[in-house]
């Protein structure tokens, strides 16, 4: 979709000012002895230097050379506007003005070259995002593998002294002996140590019930061990 053409007051003012300045520079150059196409080239040279200096100022506001050449081009443009306003006899131009007009091409070329080849300042690097106070920066996750340590063998706990409650003597009935169960040698040795400790503390041999409670074994196996220790 084409946009409708609108007249901008600033754009119209710029066109009028540019045309008048262009005509004044042309008239001054023609009065200073630059006739023909040379008189038309002077306004173009002044305006180009003015634009080049302005663009350099936009990129680097602290560039003194850009400000200097902008002032030179502005003085040349304003000087031509004032000189052609009746303050100067256009039929009898002074020699110093002829010298300035004749030397302007070299001066404009020097200024344009310096502005075009001036180094462009590098943009300042953006500051890195700092972590908020109290937060640590991200660190790589570390995986620590631990080798399991071998379990330390503890010595068998010494049986604590226990007092056998006094039980009234009861005459047991004759019971048929149960078949002896097979007892591992290591378990038999451990049971013998417990029986010896019990006998040393209480002065009586250990019974099957106490032996079963100490070793945590079934009753038939405890009876078989008690028979072998008797």
């Amino acid at each position: 979709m084409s946009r409708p053409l609108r007249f901008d007051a600033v754009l119209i003012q710029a066109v009028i000012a540019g045309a008048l300045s262009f005509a004044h520079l042309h008239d001054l150059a023609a009065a200073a002895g630059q006739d023909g196409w040379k008189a038309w080239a002077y306004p173009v040279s002044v305006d180009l230097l003015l634009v080049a200096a302005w663009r350099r100022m936009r990129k680097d506001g602290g560039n003194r050379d850009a400000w200097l050449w902008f002032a030179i081009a502005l003085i040349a443009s304003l000087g031509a506007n004032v000189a052609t306003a009746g303050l100067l006899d256009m039929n009898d131009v002074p020699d110093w003005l002829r010298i300035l007009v004749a030397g302007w091409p070299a001066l404009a070329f020097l200024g344009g070259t310096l502005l075009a080849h001036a180094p462009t300042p590098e943009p300042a690097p953006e500051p890195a995002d700092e972590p908020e106070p109290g937060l640590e920066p991200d660190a790589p996750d570390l995986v620590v593998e631990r080798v399991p340590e071998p379990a330390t063998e503890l010595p068998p706990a010494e049986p604590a002294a226990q007092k056998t409650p006094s039980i009234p003597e009861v005459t047991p009935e004759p019971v048929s002996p149960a078949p002896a169960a097979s007892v591992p040698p290591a378990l038999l040795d451990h049971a013998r140590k417990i029986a010896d400790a019990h006998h040393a503390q209480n002065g009586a041999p250990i019974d099957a019930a106490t032996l079963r409670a100490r070793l945590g074994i079934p009753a038939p196996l405890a009876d078989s061990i008690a028979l072998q220790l008797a």
Side-chain angles (χ1 to χ4, degrees), residues 27-125:
D27 295 343
L28 182 63
Q34 307 295 329
D35 54 352
W37 66 271
K38 293 182 289 183
W40 294 104
Y42 275 89
V44 177
S45 176
V46 173
D47 292 341
L48 287 180
L49 182 60
L50 196 64
V51 172
W54 175 79
R55 293 188 61 183
R56 177 58 60 180
M57 290 165 56
R58 288 286 304 273
K59 293 182 179 179
D60 185 8
N63 193 333
R64 296 182 179 180
D65 293 340
W67 284 94
L68 174 63
W69 290 107
F70 183 82
I72 292 176
L74 186 61
I75 292 173
S77 179
L78 292 176
N81 296 334
V82 174
T84 55
L87 300 179
L88 182 67
D89 186 3
M90 303 298 292
N91 296 322
D92 186 13
V93 178
D95 294 339
W96 60 268
L97 184 57
R98 294 177 181 271
I99 295 174
L100 289 179
V101 173
W104 173 257
L107 184 64
F109 177 77
L110 176 62
T113 303
L114 293 178
L115 292 174
H117 296 282
T120 302
E122 298 180 358

Side-chain angles (χ1 to χ4, degrees):
M1 297 180 62
S2 59
R3 295 183 179 180
L5 183 61
R6 296 183 304 175
F7 291 98
D8 190 353
V10 178
L11 180 60
I12 296 175
Q13 183 68 21
V15 172
I16 295 175
L20 292 176
S21 178
F22 194 92
H24 292 162
L25 286 169
H26 169 267
D27 295 343
L28 182 63
Q34 307 295 329
D35 54 352
W37 66 271
K38 293 182 289 183
W40 294 104
Y42 275 89
V44 177
S45 176
V46 173
D47 292 341
L48 287 180
L49 182 60
L50 196 64
V51 172
W54 175 79
R55 293 188 61 183
R56 177 58 60 180
M57 290 165 56
R58 288 286 304 273
K59 293 182 179 179
D60 185 8
N63 193 333
R64 296 182 179 180
D65 293 340
W67 284 94
L68 174 63
W69 290 107
F70 183 82
I72 292 176
L74 186 61
I75 292 173
S77 179
L78 292 176
N81 296 334
V82 174
T84 55
L87 300 179
L88 182 67
D89 186 3
M90 303 298 292
N91 296 322
D92 186 13
V93 178
D95 294 339
W96 60 268
L97 184 57
R98 294 177 181 271
I99 295 174
L100 289 179
V101 173
W104 173 257
L107 184 64
F109 177 77
L110 176 62
T113 303
L114 293 178
L115 292 174
H117 296 282
T120 302
E122 298 180 358
E126 297 181 358
D129 296 337
E130 297 182 357
E132 297 181 1
L135 298 179
E136 297 181 356
D138 296 338
D141 297 335
L142 300 179
V143 180
V144 180
E145 297 182 358
R146 295 184 177 180
V147 180
E149 299 179 356
T152 306
E153 297 182 359
L154 300 177
E158 297 181 358
Q162 295 182 358
K163 294 182 180 181
T164 304
S166 59
I167 302 175
E169 295 182 359
V170 179
T171 303
E173 297 180 358
V175 181
S176 59
S182 60
V183 181
L187 181 59
L188 185 59
D189 293 340
H190 185 59
R192 184 173 286 107
K193 293 179 181 180
I194 295 176
D196 294 341
H198 181 80
H199 187 273
Q201 293 177 1
N202 301 309
I206 192 171
D207 55 338
T210 305
L211 187 62
R212 183 182 60 183
R214 294 287 185 85
L215 296 176
I217 57 178
L221 184 58
D223 295 339
S224 177
I225 294 176
L227 291 175
Q228 298 184 30
L229 294 178

